[in-house]
Amino acid sequence: MDQPGDVTFYLDPGLLQSARDGRHNFIALVAKTVSDARLRVFFEANSDAARRASERRPGYALFHMDDPTHPRALTMRRSYFYPFWQIETSARRWEWKVALTPFKPEEVDAVEAQKFFGFWRKRLFPDASDTPAPHGPIYIPLQGLVRQHRSFQSCSPVEMIARTAERFPDSDVIVTLHPNESYEAADHKALETLGKAYPNVNVSRRDMVTCLNACEMVVTQNSSVALAGFFFRKPAVLFAQVDFHHIAGNVPRDGEDKAFAARRNSGGFESYIWWFLQEMSINAGRPQEEVTTKIRGVLRRHGWPV
């Protein structure tokens, strides 16, 4: 039996009010796309219970960042930078289409990519430097749960720091804490112990742009700082699964030796940024017809009647 033509967005309070007022550009464009296909749009408050109950509600559901709870639900999530978005069947970025699609730089228009890269680099990171730093420090931006080894990681973040410091004993290793994460006393103690074991490891309060300008490379689990670093033309080594792995050294895929060796071949930052953000994401800043056409294609790929 066909599903009724309803689409319900489940949104947290601030986003919910913005969507209801029509002030959220991307949600408004998704709503227009499904409305043009004669599906009714509803905005509801988000909660665990509401998302679970959506399975019993006829029609289709869109969550924001949360994992879909049934086959008629999708999740939407910003592709790191505004106004770029993804609509997917999983909240886990390494399961997204972009993560599973091979990057083919030879198919990218180099002139268009350079133009796109320059525009967004200036807009997002106006203080980015063009000066190479081949002998700069190794920059390790931490996320949360620094002592835990989670299923999508090759090792714990603390172990990642130790392995990197041991591999590059003559390089400074600058470690920064995530400003929006809460760290326990045991986390700080673990980092302090690392600093004593490896004299080249230093925990710093320096901001991201300063670190990216100065560093030789970024080493991280899957922090978005590595993707930002591509705008600074800095190679990255990733210790966890993520969607922007294609031109980075990839420990889960290749092991540490190959991943760190691969950084020397890193390049094509301009082509990759264009492919990742413009080709493989939904750029909600483009003309309306172009955006709704792309949204329609994504929803159709997921089996929605648009």
Side-chain angles (χ1 to χ4, degrees):
M1 179 178 176
D2 291 339
Q3 286 296 321
D6 295 348
V7 175
T8 305
F9 291 74
Y10 293 86
L11 305 169
D12 291 331
L15 206 57
L16 178 62
Q17 193 58 54
S18 177
R20 284 175 171 167
D21 294 344
R23 292 183 287 106
H24 193 286
N25 183 48
F26 177 68
I27 293 176
L29 289 166
V30 177
K32 174 175 171 48
T33 303
V34 297
S35 295
D36 287 349
R38 300 190 177 183
L39 279 70
R40 298 187 302 171
V41 173
F42 298 90
F43 299 114
E44 298 289 348
N46 183 43
S47 68
D48 291 341
R51 293 195 307 277
R52 288 195 300 271
S54 73
E55 184 171 6
R56 300 187 299 273
R57 181 172 181 165
Y60 301 85
L62 262 173
F63 303 154
H64 177 235
M65 296 178 64
D66 291 305
D67 232 350
T69 55
H70 57 87
R72 290 173 287 105
L74 297 171
T75 189
M76 56 184 183
R77 186 166 188 170
R78 183 163 51 93
S79 193
Y80 301 100
F81 310 111
Y82 288 108
F84 302 97
W85 289 81
Q86 296 282 3
I87 300 174
E88 280 286 353
T89 56
S90 169
R92 294 175 286 279
R93 293 182 184 271
W94 53 91
E95 295 178 352
W96 290 358
K97 181 183 178 184
V98 62
L100 304 176
T101 300
F103 169 55
K104 299 178 180 179
E106 67 277 7
E107 296 181 2
V108 175
D109 184 321
V111 174
E112 180 64 24
Q114 182 66 52
K115 189 165 121 182
F116 181 88
F117 180 92
F119 175 85
W120 284 102
R121 172 182 157 107
K122 184 176 181 180
R123 182 164 177 174
L124 294 169
F125 305 108
D127 295 325
S129 171
D130 281 319
T131 304
H135 305 295
I138 297 167
Y139 175 27
I140 301 184
L142 291 177
Q143 296 152 282
L145 304 174
V146 298
R147 292 173 291 119
Q148 291 188 26
H149 176 188
R150 291 182 277 177
S151 61
F152 57 90
Q153 298 173 325
S154 300
C155 62
S156 73
V158 166
E159 181 65 22
M160 172 184 68
I161 298 170
R163 293 182 186 181
T164 304
E166 190 169 338
R167 184 178 289 271
F168 299 97
D170 297 324
S171 295
D172 288 333
V173 177
I174 305 299
V175 177
T176 60
L177 303 180
H178 195 289
N180 297 326
E181 290 285 351
S182 295
Y183 295 94
E184 299 176 358
D187 297 328
H188 292 287
K189 181 65 175 176
L191 294 174
E192 183 182 334
T193 300
L194 271 177
K196 291 177 181 177
Y198 301 98
N200 57 333
V201 172
N202 296 283
V203 178
S204 172
R205 294 180 178 271
R206 278 178 273 185
D207 65 273
M208 181 187 75
V209 171
T210 298
C211 291
L212 285 175
N213 275 332
C215 76
E216 175 188 353
M217 65 174 166
V218 178
V219 175
T220 183
Q221 293 287 345
N222 58 9
S223 170
S224 62
V225 172
L227 180 63
F230 294 162
F231 281 102
F232 294 69
R233 299 185 176 90
K234 298 302 171 80
V237 174
L238 306 171
F239 272 73
Q241 298 178 78
V242 75
D243 51 342
F244 57 81
H245 60 83
H246 305 78
I247 64 169
N250 190 317
V251 175
R253 182 186 64 215
D254 300 325
E256 287 182 38
D257 290 340
K258 286 185 178 180
F260 277 100
R263 83 189 192 280
R264 302 186 185 281
N265 301 320
S266 291
F269 297 110
E270 295 86 351
S271 294
Y272 186 73
I273 287 293
W274 180 90
W275 178 80
F276 186 85
L277 291 178
Q278 179 60 30
E279 178 70 13
M280 299 301 294
S281 304
I282 300 168
N283 181 353
R286 296 290 295 169
Q288 183 181 95
E289 184 176 353
E290 178 183 327
V291 181
T292 55
T293 297
K294 193 157 193 176
I295 292 170
R296 188 177 304 111
V298 170
L299 295 178
R300 284 178 177 171
R301 173 164 55 88
H302 294 307
W304 284 30
V306 293

